[in-house]
Amino acid sequence: MEKYKWQSKIKMNIILLRIMGLWPEGDKTYEPGFYMVYSSITVSLFIFGHIFFQVVNVYFIAHDLKSVVATSYLLLIEILGGVKAYYLIKNLKILKERMIIFKSDWFQPRNTQQRNLIEPTIYLWKTVYKVYLSMCFGGNTFWAIYPMMDKSEEKRLPFLGWYPYDYKKSPYYEITYVYQVIGICYLTTVHVNVDTLISAFNVYTSCQFDMLTDNIRNLANVAQRATNDVYHNMLRCVDHHKNILRFIESSTKFFNWILFWHLLISGVSIGLTMFQLTAVVPLSNEFYSLLSYGLAITIQIFMYCWFGNEVQAKSSNLPYAVFESDWTDLSEEIKKKLLFFTMHLKPVQISALNLFYLSLDTYMRILKTAWSYFALLYQVSS
C-alpha cells in the first residue's frame, strides 16, 4: 500500500511559513545565506518593528484608559505572534525531526479501513483552519479600510502607534498606512499557521490512537491468526504506543511555552475585545473588525482545546479496545502480557508546562475569565 502522506495535509502551512521567512527549505534549519538574511529582515521589520511602535505609544497614552484598552486588546495578541515566531525559529530542528518520524512505518495506516478512520478528523481540522483563516483576514480587511471610510478630516491609521516623524503628512501617512497593513497581515499569517500546525500535531496524535485502537481491537482474531502472530502483533502495538508517547513528549518541547503564553493571554484579550465593542459605533467597519477579531480568538482557543481534548478522549479508548478484542481464546501467557499492557494504558493529556491542559473544560474557564475581565473594565469605565 502507498504510504500515507501526513506532510501533504499541512502543505499550505509550510508554504505560507516559508514565504514569511520562518521555514527553510526541506528538512534543513537556518544556514548562512540569502534565506537567513530575508528572514531576519522580515521578522525584524514586520514583527518587532510593528510591535515596538505600538508599545511606545502605550507609554504616552497611559493616562487614558479607553485609549490603552483600544491599543492593548490587539497589542497583546501581536506580542504573542512574536513569541510564536521566536519559538518556531528556536525549535525548528525539533519540529522538522518530528515530521520526519511520521514517514516511518510505525505511524502509517495498515489498511484502507484505517485510512477511512482518520480522514474525518483531518477533514475537521481543515475546516476549522479555513474558518479561522477567514475570520482573521476578515478582521484584517475591516482594519485596513475603516480609517479610509472615516468621515472625519483627521488622518487616522488602522492602529494607534508612535512614530519618530509626523505620519499625518504625505507621503509618510501612506507609507505608514501600508506598513501597518502589511505588518498585521504578516503577524496574522504567523498566528494562523503556527496555531494550526500545533493543532495538526494533536490531530495526527489522535489519529495514531485511532489506528492503535483498531489494531488492538483486531489483535486476537484467532480465526485468522496463529498464536505467534497474535503475540507478534501485540508487541507491535506496545511499540506503537511507546512511539506515540515519545512523539508527544518531544513535540510538547516545541509548543510548551507557546501554549502557556497563549492560554494566559487569551482570556485577557477576549475580555478587552468585548469591552472595546461597547465603545465603538455599532455596525461600523471598526465594529465588524472587532467582531471578526473576537471570533478569531475564540476559534483559535477552541481549536487548541478541542483537538487537545480529542487526544485525551481517543487515548482513553485503548483499554476498551483490549476488552473488545477476542482475548478469551488466547493462551494464558499472552493474556498476562495483555493485562500488564492494559494496566499501563492511561489517558494522555496535552498540557502547557503541566499547568494548563488542553480540554473543553479549560476552554470554558477561559471564556468565563474573559467575561470577568470585561465586567471589571465595564464597571471601572462606567
Side-chain angles (χ1 to χ4, degrees):
M1 181 184 293
E2 183 182 358
K3 281 196 172 185
Y4 192 81
K5 298 179 180 178
W6 294 98
Q7 190 165 329
S8 65
K9 307 302 178 182
I10 55 173
K11 184 178 180 180
M12 183 57 66
N13 299 75
I14 294 174
I15 291 173
L16 291 175
L17 287 173
R18 179 159 176 75
I19 293 173
M20 297 298 105
L22 299 173
W23 195 275
E25 188 177 7
D27 298 328
K28 302 177 183 178
T29 54
Y30 286 95
E31 297 177 351
F34 171 78
Y35 192 77
M36 179 177 283
V37 174
Y38 169 75
S39 177
S40 301
I41 293 173
T42 53
V43 170
S44 300
L45 192 61
F46 297 120
I47 294 183
F48 298 109
H50 183 70
I51 293 172
F52 172 77
F53 293 123
Q54 293 183 65
V55 170
V56 174
N57 184 65
V58 172
Y59 172 79
F60 292 106
I61 61 172
H63 60 280
D64 187 347
L65 175 62
K66 288 188 176 181
S67 297
V68 171
V69 172
T71 302
S72 299
Y73 81 95
L74 182 62
L75 183 57
L76 287 172
I77 294 297
E78 289 179 339
I79 293 173
L80 184 59
V83 171
K84 289 178 182 178
Y86 167 75
Y87 281 108
L88 177 63
I89 294 171
K90 180 182 178 182
N91 299 317
L92 191 62
K93 183 178 180 181
I94 296 174
L95 182 59
K96 291 199 171 186
E97 286 176 351
R98 297 309 94 195
M99 294 178 66
I100 293 173
I101 286 177
F102 269 97
K103 297 178 182 179
S104 68
D105 292 337
W106 289 113
F107 296 95
Q108 290 295 317
R110 292 192 185 181
N111 48 52
T112 305
Q113 179 184 345
Q114 290 190 355
R115 290 190 177 219
N116 295 334
L117 189 65
I118 64 179
E119 282 298 332
T121 306
I122 293 176
Y123 177 77
L124 175 61
W125 172 81
K126 287 183 177 180
T127 303
V128 174
Y129 179 20
K130 291 175 183 177
V131 173
Y132 179 32
L133 189 67
S134 300
M135 289 290 98
C136 287
F137 281 96
N140 285 355
T141 302
F142 286 116
W143 268 315
I145 65 174
Y146 88 76
M148 294 186 290
M149 305 294 289
D150 190 3
K151 296 180 180 179
S152 65
E153 296 181 359
E154 182 183 1
K155 290 184 176 180
R156 296 176 59 188
L157 292 171
F159 310 101
L160 298 174
W162 172 89
Y163 296 92
Y165 54 84
D166 187 359
Y167 67 82
K168 295 183 180 180
K169 292 183 179 180
S170 187
Y172 300 119
Y173 174 72
E174 289 78 9
I175 293 173
T176 307
Y177 199 108
V178 172
Y179 171 70
Q180 284 197 349
V181 171
I182 295 175
I184 193 61
C185 288
Y186 187 98
L187 279 163
T188 299
T189 305
V190 172
H191 266 297
V192 171
N193 289 283
V194 172
D195 291 339
T196 51
L197 192 62
I198 293 173
S199 297
F201 271 47
N202 289 334
V203 168
Y204 288 175
T205 303
S206 64
C207 287
Q208 291 302 314
F209 281 120
D210 276 337
M211 292 189 296
L212 180 57
T213 299
D214 183 69
N215 290 333
I216 293 174
R217 188 177 290 117
N218 295 292
L219 175 69
N221 190 350
V222 292
Q224 299 178 6
R225 297 189 180 101
T227 301
N228 290 337
D229 293 331
V230 173
Y231 183 69
H232 172 76
N233 285 319
M234 184 184 69
L235 292 180
R236 183 178 176 84
C237 288
V238 172
D239 289 337
H240 187 191
H241 186 253
K242 289 180 180 178
N243 277 280
I244 295 173
L245 296 181
R246 289 193 196 104
F247 173 80
I248 294 172
E249 182 181 359
S250 57
S251 60
T252 51
K253 293 179 182 178
F254 159 60
F255 54 72
N256 249 333
W257 282 103
I258 293 176
L259 287 179
F260 173 77
W261 290 112
H262 206 303
L263 297 176
L264 199 64
I265 289 174
S266 295
V268 179
S269 188
I270 294 173
L272 292 174
T273 305
M274 292 168 64
F275 174 76
Q276 192 64 13
L277 274 168
T278 65
V280 300
V281 179
L283 306 181
S284 62
N285 286 324
E286 190 173 4
F287 175 85
Y288 287 121
S289 67
L290 285 165
L291 185 62
S292 297
Y293 173 73
L295 289 173
I297 300 177
T298 307
I299 294 172
Q300 186 181 41
I301 299 301
F302 173 78
M303 179 173 58
Y304 275 120
C305 294
W306 175 267
F307 292 118
N309 191 79
E310 284 291 284
V311 173
Q312 180 181 351
K314 292 184 177 181
S315 63
S316 301
N317 291 333
L318 295 178
Y320 296 99
V322 175
F323 178 76
E324 291 168 2
S325 66
D326 192 8
W327 57 270
T328 54
D329 294 325
L330 298 178
S331 65
E332 291 300 320
E333 181 183 359
I334 294 181
K335 284 181 182 179
K336 289 180 182 179
K337 293 183 182 299
L338 196 58
L339 177 61
F340 184 76
F341 172 56
T342 306
M343 291 172 63
H344 286 77
L345 294 176
K346 297 179 181 180
V348 177
Q349 288 184 299
I350 305 297
S351 68
L353 301 175
N354 292 320
L355 296 175
F356 302 107
Y357 292 94
L358 297 184
S359 65
L360 296 180
D361 181 57
T362 300
Y363 179 68
M364 295 306 299
R365 289 182 182 179
I366 291 172
L367 294 184
K368 290 178 181 178
T369 302
W371 179 261
S372 299
Y373 283 123
F374 163 72
L376 176 62
L377 285 170
Y378 191 78
Q379 184 177 3
V380 172
S381 177
S382 300

